[in-house]
Structure formats: structure tokens, C-alpha cells
Amino acid sequence: MRHLFKLSLVSLLILGAIFQPLVKAEENRVIDDSSTDPNTMVITTSRFESNTVDLPSHVTLITQDEIARIAATNLSQVLRRVPGLQVSYTNGKTSVSMRGISAEQASSNVLVLVDGQRLNKTDLASPDLDTINIIDIERIEIIQGAASSLYGDQAVAGVINIITKSGNRQSNIIRYSQGRFDSRQAAANLAFELDEQWSLILKGDKKTSDNYREHNELDNNQLGAELHYQDSQQQWRFSYRSRNETQQTPGALLETDLADRRQSRPEFAKDYVSTDESFSRLFGQLELNSNWQFAIDLNHQEADIDSVNSFINFATTNVNQTHRTQSSIYPRVQGQWQLGQGVVRWISGIDYDESEYAFSLLARSNQQTMESLYSQLYWPLSKQTTLEIAGRLAEVEDDLIDAALYPDGVVLKNSATAYDLGLSHEFSHVLDGYIRYSNNYRFAKVDEQAYTSETVLGLEPQKGRSIEAGITSQFETSSLQASVYQLKLEDEIFFDPSATPPAGAFFPGANVNGAESTRLGLMLDYRLLIEEDELGVTYHWVDANSEPADDTVPGVSKNTITTWYDWQVAQDVSWYLEAHYRGERYQEGDTSNSLAKVDGYTLWNSALYWRLDNARIGLRVDNLLDKEYIDYAQFNGYYPAKGRDFVVTFDLVF
């Protein structure tokens, strides 16, 4: 291990030794209004299970009941309702951006986790949200805003953590669904109680679809298992999941092609992506005594990908091979002790990540090591006010080879720091407020480091500063979350089409450290209960601009609104109607704002959900009015989104 990792381990042990005996924390904040169960645990805000949300930030919690009532079959249907999130659909895949970050940059600035395991890759590939089986989700926790102190690299705009069902929280469910575009899914999630402490969960998922576009067929197969142990002092989880997927990719269309939006241009006739991927995780959490907790994550994922990737007016049949491995170890401790004015809580840990990457087309490979030490402290200044202080020190080393730019190899080293300072205040039993200042960062990915101008030897870490303030109010029949934020990024890492390309480049431009950019935003989330029905409205306004010309950040809509009505028609039947608006924006990569804008659109979606003893029947229709719209466009290449889509689901729960 390198010196930082050793120093971190020693520091962790010393800090743990000098703290006084602790007691359990008491609940002191209202969980987000989307939660109706006071016993719901939250992990993402501290990396330990807790029934409080202490983090001074806009935190959203989506429960499995909410997912079921809208008859959701994929994550994009769920996440479109969350303020601050913009969902894009490209080549049959979903990407999610936050807080004025473009879809093109989302995979580098929005951290996506499944049970704490990173889905983000060391290259620019997006986290594959569409592979997550919706029936396996217990809840979704979202930190809106910088979380670099707690999670490190790529948590610039926020964190989405998908928590799956486990142990005694698990129920058996078998699903079959069928929909338009010859879409079918058969999935099962089965739990077996071996004894009072041990349980076994088996998971399977088979999904096929022609999708909306021609030459966009999908065949996805997943198998998984989890062994779970829990007693009064500890819990352990060992999980394994494998995925095999083949998808044809229809590519972009030119504006002149949009008369037939479902077509695929001839040059993409041989394009596809075939993925073999596996994920394994060992997680343990122990009560060391009545005052201390220890947790550890051991993660490993491996992927082999074959693909053919053509461009508009440039067809190829060359099969490119990509290989990725990512391994990590995340030990951490938590302690708590009682003061007269409240409970002090301290979390500290080490994150150590190693990854390997190889891409055959460019004879590109990289070995990356990332290590960091972080700490988070909640200190009650009074019975109503809590101070949050957090910080992280991180180092990264890339051992990079690229046939064009670094044929003999190069070692690139960088370091970065992050810190948070926040205050939470309880104004009354129904109103909380907070204010928070954060420094954040991200390191350049391998694709970015290997495609820079010839005079640039490695990109500097992107650095950011954010400040936000907000309130959470929860009454008997209504709730409101409101927040304002400013996110400033320095040395922002992005692809600049006007930059000098590296030698032997396939296309103009290069990855750069850009000038400062600023995002100023407002988020609102309002829910009103009318007897057993719910009316909801979420709104996000963001003004995103880059220096020095004050250009608008491409790919970002200034206004996004979602409103819905969830009607309990009868005791076992509910009906859901939703309208989603996304405003116009510049095309991805159009940093000079010189290309035509992408039009805004409004979608109407609806769902019917019926509980009948152990059976659940759902009917969901997306894009009711068959609106023609573009979800993603880059350099005048357009990716039409789905027309009217419907799916019927049948679940057996026992």
C-alpha cells in the first residue's frame, strides 16, 4: 500500500481510540416526504444505516411502495419525478444528469451506486441503469448536491444509491410483463429462510425487446444470489450478480432523416454492443459495543465487451474489445456520544480502489489506483441546531498507454481535497432548514487523459465549490422541500470541439480543462394528500453558464416540471396520471452555442395498479399522446425518443 493508505489506516485507529464512550443517536430530523414508514433506514447520508437524515442537503427518498403504485418497469419512469434530475434516452439506454450537468458529462459528475457499489466506470461509459431489476429495489436514496467529502471521485452533482431487498426485508416476487415493441420480461426474486440468522436470496431476470428504433433489439439475461446473516450484533451480506446482454445500436439520425424517426441509417447496420459482466460484494456491519459500529465493503466487478461502433457517413465492421476490472475496499467506523444539547456522531473511513482498463481499437490501457481518507462529524450546537463538518484527502495514479498519444506509456499522478461545512436547524416540529458549503472534485477518466492536445501532459482534477440552502416542512396532509444552490466548477473537464486534437486524431477537438462554469438553481418538491389520494409537483430551474463568453452549458434545460395525481380509485385499485415537461436546450457538446437548439417537450404518462390478494397487475402507458421528441442530440446527430409505449405487468407476491 502507498503511504497515504498506511497513514489513513493509522489515523483511523488513533482517532477511534481517543473518542469517549458513545450512546445511540436519537431521531432528530424528518425523513423526506416520500417516506411513510418511520422505521425506514437511510444509508447514503452517512454510509451507515440510520433512521435520521442529518445531512444538510436536499435528500430524496423513494420507497418501493411509490415505485409499485406508478407501475414502474424501469428507473427512468421513477427518476423523472425527482426535481433536479434530467433523464436522457440514447440508443435504448438511460442516463441521468443532476444540477445543471449535461447528459454528456453525467457519468463523470453524478455517482450511481447499487448497495454502495459503484456503477460508474473508469472510462466514459455511463452507469447502466437499465440493467437494474425494478422488483429488486427496496428504496432509492438521492443526495442532491456535492458529496465528494463522503464519496470522493465523481460525486460532484449528487449521489443516487439504489438499495436492494435483503434478509428479513425480502418478500418473494415473480414477475411477467409484456408490452409494445415486442418487449417481454420474466423475473423472479425468491428468499429462503435457512434459520433465525441465515437467509438466501436467488434472483433471475430475462428481458427482450425490439425497442422503438429499427436495429435496436435487446436481449438481457441476469442471475444473482445473496447469502445474508444477521443477529443482534452484526450483519453480513455476500452477493453475486452476472449479466449477459446483447443490444443492436441504431446510431444517430440527421435532421433530414427525422421524417422516419424509427429508422437506422445504413452505416449502423452492423453496430452492436455485447457485454458479459459480473459483480460481487461482501458487506459487513458490526456493533463493536453499545457505542461503536464498524462496517466494511469489499467489491469487485469485471466486464468484457465486444462492440462495433460506426459514425454518421462512416461505416465499420471492426469489432472493438473492451475489458474492465474494478476492485475496492471501504472500511469505516461510526461512534456517537451524548451531550446535554444532543448527540455527537462521527464517521471516518478509508476508500481504496484499483482498476484495469483495456481498449483494443486504440491499443489503450490503464491501471489506476485511487486512495483516500475521509471523516464526517455531526455536532449539536443546541437542541435545535446541528453542525456538519466533513473532509476528504485523495490521491490517484494512472499508468496509461495509448498508441497515438502515449505509445511508451506515462504515469500521471494527481491529488485532490474536499470538505463540507453545514448547519441544520429545527425551526419547529414541522419545519427544518439547512445551509451548506462544499468543495468537490473529480479526476479525469482514461478516455479523457488519452485524448488531449499534444502539449498537454495529463488533465488537472476538476475542482468545484457549491453552496445551498433549503427547507423541509411536513404537515399532516402536505409536505414541501425547497432549496436553492450555486455550483461553480474550475478546470472543468469536457470535450472541446475547437481544441487542437492529438496527433493521428479521428476527429477534431480534444479533452480540456476549461474555464469556470456556474450553475444557479432552484428546486421544489410539493406533495398534498387528499384523503387517500396524492397530488405532487416537482420543479427545477437552473441557469448554467460557462466562461469566458458566458455561453449556456449545452445539454441543460433551464426548466423541468413534473406534476401528477395518484388516485385511490378503490381499496385495491389506484390510477396515476403524470405530466412531464422538459425545456429546450443546446445540443450536447455545443460549447459555443452555434448549433440549432433541441426543442422542449411535454409528455403525458399514466398507470393503473390493482392489488388482488397475492397478485399485482399493472398497466402503464408512457407518452400517451405519441409525442415526437428528441431526448439527446450531439453535433447535429439526433436520437429520437420512444413514441407511445405501454406495458402490462403481472406480479405474484408471497
Side-chain angles (χ1 to χ4, degrees), residues 88-153:
S88 299
Y89 191 76
T90 310
N91 273 338
K93 292 297 183 182
T94 301
S95 65
V96 179
S97 55
M98 299 174 70
R99 292 212 164 184
I101 299 293
S102 68
E104 184 183 35
Q105 295 296 320
S107 66
S108 304
N109 292 280
V110 177
L111 182 61
V112 180
L113 310 170
V114 175
D115 295 322
Q117 186 176 36
R118 288 173 175 257
L119 285 192
N120 298 65
K121 312 304 181 186
T122 58
D123 60 336
L124 287 172
S126 297
D128 200 341
L129 295 171
D130 300 280
T131 65
I132 299 168
N133 190 353
I134 203 81
I135 68 171
D136 195 30
I137 298 174
E138 179 179 304
R139 64 186 184 277
I140 303 171
E141 301 173 5
I142 302 171
I143 297 177
Q144 306 257 13
S148 295
S149 293
L150 198 56
Y151 285 97
D153 189 37

Side-chain angles (χ1 to χ4, degrees), residues 98-102 105-106 108-110 145-148 154-158 437-443 460-467 485-494 512-520 543-548 553 556:
M98 299 174 70
R99 292 212 164 184
I101 299 293
S102 68
Q105 295 296 320
S108 304
N109 292 280
V110 177
S148 295
Q154 302 177 55
V156 172
Y437 177 85
S438 301
N439 266 25
N440 57 74
Y441 71 89
R442 85 164 178 96
F443 296 120
E460 295 296 318
Q462 173 184 294
K463 299 175 287 294
R465 307 183 307 276
S466 69
I467 184 168
Y485 67 86
Q486 183 187 68
L487 173 63
K488 284 183 174 288
L489 299 180
E490 299 175 359
D491 291 327
E492 183 173 3
I493 302 170
F494 62 90
V512 300
N513 283 119
E516 184 176 275
S517 64
T518 302
R519 293 154 176 87
L520 181 66
D543 186 28
N545 296 286
S546 60
E547 300 294 342
V553 174
V556 178

Side-chain angles (χ1 to χ4, degrees), residues 447-463:
D447 311 64
E448 296 167 321
Q449 294 284 36
Y451 203 86
T452 60
S453 301
E454 288 186 78
T455 57
V456 176
L457 181 62
L459 297 171
E460 295 296 318
Q462 173 184 294
K463 299 175 287 294

Side-chain angles (χ1 to χ4, degrees), residues 412-454:
L412 303 173
K413 297 182 180 181
N414 276 300
S415 63
T417 59
Y419 64 85
D420 300 339
L421 184 63
L423 284 173
S424 303
H425 182 74
E426 183 180 351
F427 294 99
S428 69
H429 69 284
V430 296
L431 179 63
D432 292 342
Y434 70 86
I435 187 168
R436 184 170 180 241
Y437 177 85
S438 301
N439 266 25
N440 57 74
Y441 71 89
R442 85 164 178 96
F443 296 120
K445 294 195 171 187
V446 57
D447 311 64
E448 296 167 321
Q449 294 284 36
Y451 203 86
T452 60
S453 301
E454 288 186 78

